[in-house]
Amino acid sequence: MESTNTVEHRLYNEDWNIAYQRSRMVGLPVHPTCLFAYWFMTDDHRRLCEEHWLCDWSNMPLSICVYDVTGVWFDGHNAPLVRQEIIQPTDTTNWYIHNLVPGRHYVVDLTLERDGERFSLLRSNMVSLPPLAKHGAQPDLKFASPFVTTVQTAGLRISDIASRQDDKGEFPISRYAGQFDGYHLTR
């Protein structure tokens, strides 16, 4: 039998050490002006980057780039770069991006910059931020009464009640309407 601490740790593990089989980046909306991105890079992907740029991963000049792709068929180069934030330390695997424009669509890249050129290592899904709610806006809800009290139905069968409609096209109340207040039977 597992100890309670082991079970609790497994259930409430908030580490970001998530093991995927491939490198990936995911973007999620937080609220109308903020998004959250997290990523995972396999050891092979990191090693490949280290060998290609002849640099240890801990010294790589990594950054997060945010592109506004609203109304654009994004090909990696044709959307405006709206934010670039340098990642320190490089072992970070998640990032919040604040002060974005509500109601827009964004793509987040994990990039490396060398000799004035930016190289994308990972790209997120498109993240749609919701528009700002109007101040004081309330949903327009209309509640209908649970019973129509137009016809007395005591002693009628369900087939008799279903065949009767009033001039508004509504069905009459059930035979328990006098005893039922909407939540429980009363006598």
Side-chain angles (χ1 to χ4, degrees):
M1 177 134 190
E2 291 183 274
S3 71
T4 305
N5 289 341
T6 306
V7 172
E8 284 182 13
H9 179 71
R10 199 174 74 237
L11 292 175
Y12 302 106
N13 185 4
E14 295 184 11
D15 294 346
W16 279 98
N17 298 330
I18 302 169
Y20 296 106
Q21 296 301 317
R22 62 184 181 94
S23 298
R24 66 180 289 182
M25 184 173 208
V26 177
L28 301 166
V30 176
H31 55 72
T33 62
C34 178
L35 67 83
F36 175 71
Y38 69 91
W39 58 92
F40 172 78
M41 288 188 74
T42 62
D43 292 336
D44 291 338
H45 195 157
R46 285 184 186 204
R47 192 181 73 252
L48 183 67
C49 292
E50 289 174 340
E51 290 175 8
H52 181 77
W53 280 289
L54 302 173
C55 180
D56 185 48
W57 183 258
S58 61
N59 296 323
M60 292 254 184
L62 297 176
S63 61
I64 290 283
C65 292
V66 182
Y67 297 95
D68 185 349
V69 297
T70 307
V72 175
W73 187 267
F74 186 55
D75 66 2
H77 302 286
N78 61 338
L81 175 66
V82 295
R83 181 79 45 84
Q84 182 174 3
E85 297 183 16
I86 296 171
I87 297 176
Q88 286 296 335
T90 57
D91 63 346
T92 300
T93 59
N94 58 79
W95 205 263
Y96 284 92
I97 300 118
H98 298 279
N99 301 320
L100 297 171
V101 179
R104 307 292 288 180
H105 307 290
Y106 296 96
V107 169
V108 182
D109 277 3
L110 178 66
T111 64
L112 177 123
E113 196 160 332
R114 285 286 187 168
D115 302 324
E117 288 192 57
R118 188 176 305 118
F119 300 95
S120 178
L121 302 176
L122 293 173
R123 177 163 293 145
S124 78
N125 53 305
M126 183 181 73
V127 181
S128 300
L129 293 182
L132 278 176
K134 294 178 183 171
H135 180 67
Q138 296 293 322
D140 186 24
L141 299 176
K142 294 180 182 176
F143 294 96
S145 67
F147 302 108
V148 179
T149 57
T150 57
V151 178
Q152 290 292 344
T153 59
L156 293 178
R157 292 179 300 206
I158 292 177
S159 60
D160 295 334
I161 294 171
S163 65
R164 296 183 184 182
Q165 285 184 331
D166 62 8
D167 55 348
K168 296 178 189 174
E170 297 175 338
F171 290 102
I173 59 173
S174 74
R175 65 185 206 176
Y176 300 106
Q179 301 167 343
F180 185 65
D181 66 1
Y183 295 98
H184 33 63
L185 287 174
T186 59
R187 294 213 176 217

